[in-house]
Amino acid sequence: EEGIRVHNGIIPYICIVTDCHRSIFSDSICIQEVLSMHRFAQGRTTVVYDLGDGTVCKLFPAGYPRAYIEHEYRNAVRFRQIGLPAPKAFGLIERDGRTGILYEKLSGRTLRQCTDEAAVSPDDALRLLAGLHARILRAEGRGGMDYRDVLLLVNGDGLRGEIEALPDGDRLLHGDLHPGNIILDERGEPHIIDFMNVCCGPALYDIARTYFLTGAKSYLTHMHATKNQIEPFLAVLRKARERTGF
């Protein structure tokens, strides 16, 4: 149930406790085999491959810091454990400097795709986004990475004074919640993905981050927040975007 280090990039046999207490892999698999499989999705820095057995591998580029990948894996496990709708995270594979996370495959489309294709109205999409966000923010985030440390990691020392002046908080934050990080499955049920920026802090920071990414005023209404409340966070996020594209 914790991160699984697989030496030499080979999984000879993994038996992981799941809801149905079954073995996930009974055959060997290595990075080279993953690369030959169907490319399921593409992110900014990662590629997701369909392993053909109900699982996918989110593969990171060579040299990507392993600590960040383990951070994402632990966050995914935590979301699932506290009852949030997230794919099962089964473990890690690695070889030759490349590491991947093994996830349950989710068949469906992102909420962004659904709105682009007019399958879901923009207001319904924002209402669903806000509902999921409210569920996340009800959970305690203590023990997780402080959101200011995430901002410092991304921005270095350039904004240190402004970042360190931001307020404390103890909520579980997704850190990157937007319609592209929500998948609607074939039954229309939503699932949260992408756990790299999960952290601990005030709810208003995460609301500001989602507003910054979407620009949707009605989202703030659904979250019962105002622009004035989130402005201190927005000011830092704007400068971070100018500096690093975050």
Side-chain angles (χ1 to χ4, degrees), residues 192-212:
I192 304 160
I193 61 171
D194 196 352
F195 307 97
M196 184 63 73
N197 294 316
V198 170
C199 52
C200 175
L204 285 174
Y205 167 75
D206 222 29
I207 294 171
R209 174 77 171 146
T210 294
Y211 175 77
F212 181 72

Side-chain angles (χ1 to χ4, degrees), residues 107-111 114 120 128 182-186 188-191:
S107 296
R109 294 173 295 171
T110 67
L111 187 57
C114 290
V120 176
L128 188 153
I182 296 172
I183 291 179
L184 294 184
D185 66 21
E186 294 165 339
E189 295 295 324
H191 304 265

Side-chain angles (χ1 to χ4, degrees), residues 12 19 22 24 35 37 91 94 133 148 157 191 200 222 226:
D19 289 345
R22 66 180 177 85
I24 301 303
L35 292 173
M37 293 177 180
E94 63 176 346
H133 209 171
R148 290 164 295 197
D157 288 332
H191 304 265
C200 175
H222 291 312
T226 67

Side-chain angles (χ1 to χ4, degrees), residues 27-82:
D27 299 314
S28 296
I29 186 169
C30 65
I31 294 294
Q32 285 81 358
E33 289 175 291
V34 169
L35 292 173
S36 70
M37 293 177 180
H38 173 63
R39 187 175 287 204
F40 185 67
Q42 175 80 54
R44 284 179 297 177
T45 58
T46 60
V47 180
V48 180
Y49 291 92
D50 185 352
L51 303 187
D53 58 355
T55 62
V56 296
C57 177
K58 182 176 181 179
L59 191 61
F60 293 80
Y64 201 90
R66 182 182 169 88
Y68 297 173
I69 302 171
E70 291 177 344
H71 174 73
E72 172 165 342
Y73 171 73
R74 287 192 298 269
N75 291 332
V77 170
R78 183 176 187 183
F79 265 56
R80 183 87 181 183
Q81 286 177 337
I82 64 176

Side-chain angles (χ1 to χ4, degrees), residues 1-14:
E1 294 172 342
E2 294 299 322
I4 299 171
R5 183 178 182 87
V6 183
H7 294 285
N8 300 319
I10 303 294
I11 305 178
Y13 186 84
I14 294 181

